[in-house]
Amino acid sequence: MHEARKNIRCNAVLPGMTATDVVQNALNDEFREFFLHHTPIRRMATPEEIANAVLYFASDESQFTTGQILEVCGGFGLATPVFGDLRDKSRAAA
């Protein structure tokens, strides 16, 4: 954080599963369903969504932001690995 005094900020974007051609072609159906089942948003990120997070850190809009890690993952792994199971049970009861 000593570099912050020189207006040098250090932030990171942690991209989640991103729907690129390489990823789409490499996933088997079983893993794709596992991933989507445990992601609250129920889809992969687009490359543009990851780029928007990077753009934020690169812009003047984040000039007071340093030392941050921004996970862009649609909530994958949120709270518990069984989030998808709990969500589906609550929907069934509604």
Side-chain angles (χ1 to χ4, degrees):
M1 291 299 170
H2 294 332
E3 301 306 313
R5 296 181 186 128
K6 300 174 190 172
N7 283 331
I8 297 172
R9 296 173 287 133
C10 182
N11 298 297
V13 173
L14 278 66
M17 187 80 67
T18 305
T20 63
D21 291 342
V22 171
V23 169
Q24 295 283 32
N25 294 331
L27 294 180
N28 66 40
D29 291 339
E30 182 180 353
F31 184 81
R32 182 186 322 275
E33 180 52 35
F34 170 84
F35 172 78
L36 295 176
H37 186 71
H38 291 95
T39 302
I41 293 181
R42 302 280 293 169
R43 64 177 179 81
M44 290 183 219
T46 65
E48 293 81 10
E49 289 169 321
I50 303 303
N52 286 336
V54 173
L55 182 60
Y56 168 72
F57 281 142
S59 75
D60 288 340
E61 299 298 320
S62 69
Q63 62 187 332
F64 198 65
T65 304
T66 192
Q68 298 303 304
I69 298 172
L70 178 58
E71 236 183 315
V72 184
C73 64
F76 181 78
L78 184 66
T80 176
V82 296
F83 176 84
D85 296 335
L86 297 173
R87 185 197 64 219
D88 289 346
K89 285 181 183 177
S90 68
R91 284 185 179 175

